[in-house]
Amino acid sequence: MLKTDIEKANKVLNKKCLDQDLYMRIYSFSTENISGYIDFFDLKNKSLLTVGSSGDQVLNSYFNGCRDITLIDINPFSKYYINLKIAGILSLSYQEFQKFFYRLINNYYNYGRYNMQLFKKISSNLKTIDYASFYFFQFIFNNYKRDKISDYLMNDDERNTKVLKKINNYLKDEESFNKLKTILKDVCFKFINEDIFKFQSNVKYDNIFLSNLCTTANLYQFKDLLVKLNNNNLAVDGKMLIAYLWNTNFYSNEINFDWIQAYVMPATRYMLDSFITEHHHILGINDIICDKNYNSDLVMIYKKKKN
């Protein structure tokens, strides 16, 4: 598997991947306001199934007390990358972590990203956490220049320092970062490399995070996924984040069929009605960028009750 994943990474880095393989680009950090919705869920000492190739759903959930986390992602590199981030948190100071991982620092391009000296500092912990992750990134950093890794292997949809602090509890300040450092010494997540739409399991979870998966399929396919997860995987009294939508008003009746289907709210409200037990307008990414407080992003949540 490791050899195959390195071959895939070589294709991505040499721009030889097919269009359908572009999902293999890694999101450095979340593009959604996790801090804005995570307190709607009881995570302390609970179990969680989550998507999210950046690993930020996992890291923020550990920060909030979750201790049993399974990450499922179609991107095979997600496991290696979150282990790199965990090793980075354990090995680096708050400022060093920013220097190594951030694309932008205070709106300026970070030319020190993926510095080999800092990688060497991370390596010992990474090797202990997961040798395959160490081998994967040692190969990447030894064979490709930093700017090529940043531009080709990583997705460029990354926000600035101000936004990353606001949307991730563990990046809010140095104290929060060090709190997570202490927590991560005693935890270990599970990883499933699979398309969640094809996922077959009877393991029950107290919470499920689906991020913005609703935008990757039509509403009929997405509803089938919700039915499957509800029947097979969500515990009674468990909660599922069924959708995260940017710049969206739940009550909008505007219909524009050029949009991704999930953003046509009349259709979404109708199709997913039985799964929308609560919804919240939260501080949006654009709100943070523009110093506004319009609560412009939308999260929809389902809570499973006894029959």
Side-chain angles (χ1 to χ4, degrees), residues 34-43 64 169 209 239 301:
I34 298 174
S35 298
Y37 67 71
I38 199 165
D39 288 338
F40 299 135
F41 297 85
D42 178 12
L43 292 170
N64 269 42
N169 284 333
F209 291 170
K239 294 180 82 170
I301 295 171

Side-chain angles (χ1 to χ4, degrees), residues 119-301:
F119 178 67
K120 289 176 182 177
K121 196 170 180 179
I122 293 170
S123 293
S124 179
N125 273 318
L126 183 57
K127 195 183 297 186
T128 301
I129 292 166
D130 183 64
Y131 188 83
S133 299
F134 162 75
Y135 190 92
F136 179 86
F137 277 107
Q138 183 183 55
F139 175 86
I140 296 299
F141 291 135
N142 282 339
N143 287 277
Y144 292 96
K145 292 182 179 179
R146 288 178 292 172
D147 57 348
K148 194 167 189 177
I149 299 169
S150 185
D151 292 343
Y152 296 165
L153 186 63
M154 311 305 295
N155 192 298
D156 61 4
D157 190 4
E158 181 185 317
R159 306 303 179 175
N160 62 23
T161 309
K162 173 185 172 183
V163 175
L164 293 181
K165 286 183 176 182
K166 195 73 176 178
I167 68 178
N168 291 291
N169 284 333
Y170 77 97
L171 293 176
K172 181 172 60 176
D173 50 36
E174 190 166 2
E175 182 182 355
S176 300
F177 180 84
N178 289 332
K179 173 185 171 182
L180 183 60
K181 188 192 294 279
T182 300
I183 292 168
L184 289 178
K185 292 175 182 177
D186 302 314
V187 295
C188 181
F189 72 99
K190 306 177 190 74
F191 179 72
I192 300 171
N193 179 207
E194 192 171 350
D195 181 346
I196 196 169
F197 286 92
K198 299 176 182 177
F199 178 57
Q200 296 294 333
S201 169
N202 291 314
V203 176
K204 301 292 184 183
Y205 300 91
D206 299 305
N207 297 283
I208 298 175
F209 291 170
L210 296 182
S211 186
N212 67 327
L213 273 186
C214 63
T215 66
T216 66
N218 67 53
L219 289 175
Y220 292 97
Q221 293 170 319
F222 187 68
K223 186 173 184 178
D224 287 343
L225 172 64
L226 297 183
V227 170
K228 179 180 71 171
L229 293 174
N230 182 50
N231 290 341
N232 298 341
N233 305 111
L234 188 63
V236 174
D237 291 327
K239 294 180 82 170
M240 179 160 44
L241 173 70
I242 65 171
Y244 187 104
L245 298 173
W246 292 269
N247 301 318
T248 302
N249 188 321
F250 181 79
Y251 299 103
S252 172
N253 288 317
E254 184 175 357
I255 298 177
N256 183 336
F257 291 102
D258 292 332
W259 293 354
I260 296 171
Q261 194 176 22
Y263 280 91
V264 182
M265 286 312 301
T268 298
R269 291 197 305 265
Y270 174 76
M271 284 293 298
L272 304 183
D273 177 66
S274 60
F275 284 101
I276 305 173
T277 55
E278 59 185 274
H279 69 273
H280 304 272
H281 291 98
I282 65 171
L283 191 69
I285 302 300
N286 285 343
D287 295 342
I288 299 168
I289 294 171
C290 302
D291 287 318
K292 304 293 183 182
N293 191 20
Y294 295 146
N295 289 330
S296 61
D297 287 357
L298 172 68
V299 292
M300 292 182 283
I301 295 171

Side-chain angles (χ1 to χ4, degrees), residues 84-100:
L84 180 71
K85 279 175 101 169
I86 289 172
I89 293 167
L90 292 174
S91 308
L92 304 176
S93 69
Y94 184 52
Q95 291 74 24
E96 288 173 330
F97 181 87
Q98 292 180 31
K99 183 177 180 181
F100 186 81

